[in-house]
Amino acid sequence: MSDYQHPQDDALFVLNEVIGLDQLCNTIGADECNSELAAIVLNEAGKLGSQLLAPLNSIGDKNPPKLDSNGVQETAGYKEAYAQFVEGGWNGLTSQEEYMGQNLPNVLGTAVNEIWQSANLAFALCPLLNQGAVAAVTEHASNELKAEFLEKMVSGEWTGTMNLTEPDAGSDLAAIRSTATPMGDHYLVKGQKIFITWGDHQMTDNIVHLVLARLPDAPAGVKGISLFLVPKFLKDEAGNYTQRNDAHAIALEHKLGIHSSPTCVMSFGDQGGAVGYLIGEANKGLAYMFTMMNHARQSVGLQGLSIAERARQQSVSYARDRIQGRSKSGEKLAIIEFPDVRRMLLTQRAATEAMRAFVLEAAAEIDRAHHSEPNSDAQKRVELYTPIVKGWMTELAQEVCSLNVQIHGGMGFIEETGAAQHFRDARILPIYEGTTGIQALDLVGRKTLLDQGAAVNNFLAEVLNTAKETAQVEGLSVIGEALANSVKEAQAAVHAITSSDLNQGAAVSFDYLMGMGYLCGGWMLARSAIAAKTSSDGNFSDDFIAAKLATTQFYTEYLLPRAQTHLGLAQKGLSSLFKFEISQF
């Protein structure tokens, strides 16, 4: 089992040299944040991740939570680790100061969150879901609910969950059957939810469940769904939250991975009804929940980077130490000397650096959107990026984690090395918070067809400008030309999709998404290469700069061609899908 160290130099390079953190902070009015503060924050977070959370990762994998008469008992050591996490103020890094948050930019919060997800993916799911719940309550709840719940959620003293899925309502939320009956100043919620991440635990004094349910007079389908805040504990006569609500975890799922993250079957209202409070207006719950879901989708994309980085580090450590074979002169060799192992290691490195740059760019765009007018270009760009971040990055993480097993050889298939855990943990990422197929349909339907490609073509024009700029920098002409060729393929794919019907677009949606993902990765690494060539502040070593340029070259040669392959297929279509009869499957 390898140690984890946060790749701080790469994160700071992207933040400062590629995105321009200081300029971004000035633009959005984050006067107290700058590159110096970012370095301090990332350094301290890195220590907590490597020293506290990472050692618990394999422990949690082998010792998952248990369910007893008192509820879910989390893995030993997690409660103490969570208390230290909260005490350090890490939970409220990007939340509003009004609710005791630190109001730092989203892009810095994203860079910090990479650390928690790499160090211990299962543990970090708890604050991740809480941050999404905070976003939903902040944006949509009444002032009374905000005053009552937000400060403790922001601090992490209480945690939040998202309750959507039911046994008969997975991705099809129109099938939700949970109900909410008006009862004076509150509602009685009844129903069962499944796959509820960190639905119960003993790490905090309260858990705030956000639950989708239907009012008695609600219209059918998704237009009749409302959102309710259902606390685990209610106020007693003294005003303290000690009275148990009728909301209980009744089972724990036995999962392929993320073992120490309790995935609960939650039952609301077995004893008459769980007290809940309506968030916002009736029958608008799905739109409200999407605030949390879109936050989660970007966060899950970040998880793809994070687990890939953890697997990459383990691969490098093993490849350096594993002696196998001899050179022509008879010297024993570490497998890192072998060309095919180097290919796999560089694939991992290029993938993770491209993902890191892109997810931080997407996070910075959220900051810009938050300080822009509604329906701004920045908001449209966030909406365009979200399915790519979630879909492409989680799919690519599968390859990186699989390569980790491959580099370990037979030992990768043995649990003791830890390679299998990363592989297992990563497998959920393309599934939850909307499968890759759902992200791909979103990219085709809402983000391309709805405006006839206007937003995506504006983006591609920007990438093409980057390609031209790259080609003019000494030593980067090949990279710029390759990126420009990929842009042309993307433009042709957009034209083909907007010229066909939704059914044909759906048939190629996966390849369209993946092609756009590899293009975005190439775009960000081209910008990184320009920064590496032109940066003169001396904050990064010559070795770092040389490695960045070599990584970009490898991405251009080995991974960027995948963009053209995927986008070429998106142009031609998959008519064979509809020639194959269902009975022939």
Side-chain angles (χ1 to χ4, degrees):
M1 178 63 68
S2 64
D3 295 331
Y4 165 71
Q5 295 295 324
H6 174 236
Q8 182 170 318
D9 280 352
D10 196 55
L12 288 174
F13 178 82
V14 174
L15 287 172
N16 298 333
E17 305 298 326
V18 181
I19 293 173
L21 180 62
D22 287 338
Q23 181 179 353
L24 175 66
C25 291
N26 290 334
T27 300
I28 64 175
D31 299 330
E32 296 181 3
C33 182
N34 54 39
S35 56
E36 292 182 7
L37 177 64
I40 294 171
V41 169
L42 288 174
N43 186 57
E44 292 303 312
K47 292 177 184 177
L48 191 69
S50 62
Q51 297 172 12
L52 179 68
L53 300 183
L56 288 170
N57 193 42
S58 61
I59 294 172
D61 186 57
K62 298 177 179 66
N63 301 278
K66 305 294 183 184
L67 179 62
D68 60 26
S69 59
N70 294 317
V72 175
Q73 309 298 318
E74 66 279 344
T75 299
Y78 273 45
K79 184 172 185 177
E80 294 77 12
Y82 184 79
Q84 191 169 335
F85 178 86
V86 170
E87 184 179 356
W90 295 108
N91 198 75
L93 214 60
T94 60
S95 298
Q96 294 179 5
E97 290 179 295
E98 179 182 358
Y99 302 107
M100 304 305 291
Q102 299 173 48
N103 206 34
L104 292 178
N106 179 65
V107 68
L108 180 53
T110 299
V112 170
N113 283 340
E114 180 194 337
I115 298 171
W116 316 138
Q117 306 296 339
S118 287
N120 192 323
L121 185 66
F123 174 94
L125 273 166
C126 187
L128 183 155
L129 267 296
N130 185 46
Q131 289 168 3
V134 165
V137 173
T138 300
E139 189 161 339
H140 303 297
S142 66
N143 290 333
E144 291 77 12
L145 286 179
K146 292 178 186 178
E148 191 71 28
F149 290 94
L150 265 184
E151 188 171 319
K152 289 186 179 295
M153 293 174 70
V154 166
S155 70
E157 292 178 70
W158 295 352
T159 60
T161 71
M162 177 166 54
N163 291 251
L164 289 78
T165 308
E166 298 180 2
D168 295 321
S171 299
D172 180 15
L173 295 176
I176 281 176
R177 296 182 179 180
S178 295
T179 62
T181 304
M183 192 65 62
D185 64 348
H186 62 271
Y187 295 78
L188 293 181
V189 178
K190 295 184 179 181
Q192 188 179 99
K193 300 289 185 177
I194 61 174
F195 304 153
I196 309 307
T197 302
W198 283 96
D200 192 38
H201 56 82
Q202 311 305 316
M203 298 194 302
T204 60
D205 294 334
N206 208 354
I207 300 174
V208 178
H209 302 290
L210 299 190
V211 184
L212 291 180
R214 295 184 182 280
L215 293 168
D217 58 350
V222 295
K223 294 182 179 179
I225 299 174
S226 299
L227 181 61
F228 298 87
L229 187 155
V230 182
K232 177 180 178 179
F233 288 99
L234 303 168
K235 275 186 178 180
D236 58 22
E237 293 181 357
N240 300 314
Y241 280 86
T242 62
Q243 181 182 338
R244 192 68 166 88
N245 201 0
D246 191 7
H248 300 271
I250 61 172
L252 285 175
E253 304 293 355
H254 302 282
K255 301 172 296 184
L256 175 68
I258 52 171
H259 288 160
S260 55
S261 166
T263 301
C264 303
V265 177
M266 296 295 300
S267 183
F268 298 90
D270 281 352
Q271 298 165 7
V275 173
Y277 306 95
L278 180 66
I279 291 180
E281 298 180 34
N283 303 324
K284 293 188 177 181
L286 189 59
Y288 298 157
M289 187 63 89
F290 262 101
T291 298
M292 189 173 185
M293 287 184 67
N294 284 330
H295 179 281
R297 285 174 175 177
Q298 291 247 3
S299 297
V300 173
L302 177 68
Q303 287 182 314
L305 159 65
S306 301
I307 195 69
E309 174 61 32
R310 186 71 185 269
R312 183 198 71 80
Q313 290 189 22
Q314 189 179 42
S315 294
V316 172
S317 177
Y318 185 82
R320 289 185 187 278
D321 294 340
R322 174 62 168 146
I323 304 301
Q324 184 78 25
R326 295 176 182 272
S327 67
K328 291 181 179 179
S329 61
E331 297 179 44
K332 292 182 178 180
L333 293 177
I335 63 171
I336 200 169
E337 300 282 355
F338 299 164
D340 194 54
V341 174
R342 293 172 70 88
R343 175 190 63 82
M344 291 187 283
L345 291 172
L346 275 171
T347 300
Q348 292 178 314
R349 183 185 182 103
T352 53
E353 291 191 11
M355 285 192 282
R356 179 173 298 111
F358 181 52
V359 77
L360 291 177
E361 172 64 22
E365 203 66 66
I366 292 175
D367 284 318
R368 298 182 189 109
H370 282 169
H371 293 81
S372 302
E373 295 296 321
N375 203 35
S376 65
D377 289 342
Q379 183 58 44
K380 292 176 183 177
R381 187 63 62 84
V382 171
E383 292 170 358
L384 176 65
Y385 285 163
T386 297
I388 303 172
V389 167
K390 203 286 182 182
W392 173 64
M393 290 177 59
T394 59
E395 290 287 345
L396 187 52
Q398 307 305 304
E399 180 177 355
V400 174
C401 292
S402 181
L403 287 175
N404 183 34
V405 175
Q406 186 73 14
I407 290 167
H408 279 72
M411 292 304 295
F413 206 67
I414 305 300
E415 288 287 352
E416 282 77 3
T417 63
Q421 182 190 347
H422 303 321
F423 184 62
R424 289 185 284 101
D425 286 354
R427 192 58 193 86
I428 187 61
L429 303 181
I431 299 173
Y432 62 17
E433 308 307 337
T435 64
T436 304
I438 289 174
Q439 306 307 316
L441 285 174
D442 179 48
L443 183 62
V444 165
R446 293 188 181 94
K447 311 302 165 57
T448 302
L449 287 174
L450 192 63
D451 67 355
Q452 284 298 294
V456 68
N457 279 323
N458 285 340
F459 166 66
L460 292 175
E462 183 176 338
V463 179
L464 187 58
N465 286 335
T466 299
K468 293 176 180 178
E469 182 183 354
T470 306
Q472 294 173 357
V473 177
E474 182 180 358
L476 301 183
S477 60
V478 173
I479 293 170
E481 291 166 5
L483 183 60
N485 289 334
S486 295
V487 172
K488 293 175 184 177
E489 294 290 340
Q491 290 170 330
V494 171
H495 176 73
I497 289 171
T498 54
S499 301
S500 63
D501 58 31
L502 181 58
N503 206 36
Q504 288 292 339
V508 299
S509 60
F510 172 81
D511 286 280
Y512 178 51
L513 182 147
M514 294 301 291
M516 290 296 293
Y518 284 112
L519 175 64
C520 289
W523 173 53
M524 293 308 302
L525 285 185
R527 290 170 58 184
S528 298
I530 293 172
K533 279 279 192 178
T534 59
S535 177
S536 59
D537 57 17
N539 290 332
F540 301 93
S541 68
D542 292 344
D543 185 62
F544 176 90
I545 295 299
K548 178 62 69 177
L549 292 170
T551 300
T552 302
Q553 180 182 350
F554 180 84
Y555 186 99
T556 303
E557 293 174 353
Y558 193 72
L559 291 177
L560 186 58
R562 297 183 185 183
Q564 298 188 32
T565 300
H566 283 295
L567 293 167
L569 193 149
Q571 297 169 37
K572 297 174 183 177
L574 276 176
S575 58
S576 58
L577 280 183
F578 307 103
K579 294 179 179 178
F580 204 87
E581 298 295 333
I582 292 176
S583 61
Q584 293 174 318
F585 282 97

